[in-house]
Amino acid sequence: MSTATRVIEPLLYTPAEAAKALRLSRSTIFEEIRLGRLRTVQIGRCRRIPTEYVEEYIDLLKSESTA
């Protein structure tokens, strides 16, 4: 039996967590959200960024850098 603790990866990021994960500033994250380049979901008054939307944003950045 293993005694190692299991790490649960987040499925939703706060804008601050997404900024940290992407190594960007919070203001850049909010600007990208405002421009529609980084999609979010709304839960009550909270805005969250699903991990798949972070991956989509990375793909967008990659495609722009090769264009």
Side-chain angles (χ1 to χ4, degrees):
M1 202 183 310
S2 175
T3 59
T5 50
R6 199 166 146 194
V7 177
I8 299 173
E9 295 295 322
L11 299 176
L12 296 170
Y13 289 115
T14 64
E17 291 169 335
K20 188 173 181 180
L22 292 167
R23 308 289 196 269
L24 298 171
S25 68
R26 283 179 67 243
S27 60
T28 299
I29 292 295
F30 283 111
E31 180 67 9
E32 295 296 279
I33 291 169
R34 187 185 70 74
L35 293 171
R37 293 167 45 90
L38 178 57
R39 299 190 304 150
T40 64
V41 295
Q42 187 110 11
I43 305 169
R45 291 178 24 189
C46 298
R47 186 156 304 277
R48 296 291 182 260
I49 306 163
T51 54
E52 63 205 59
Y53 291 176
V54 172
E55 292 167 9
E56 286 177 6
Y57 178 69
I58 293 168
D59 290 340
L60 172 69
L61 294 175
K62 288 178 183 178
S63 69
E64 288 177 350
S65 72
T66 59

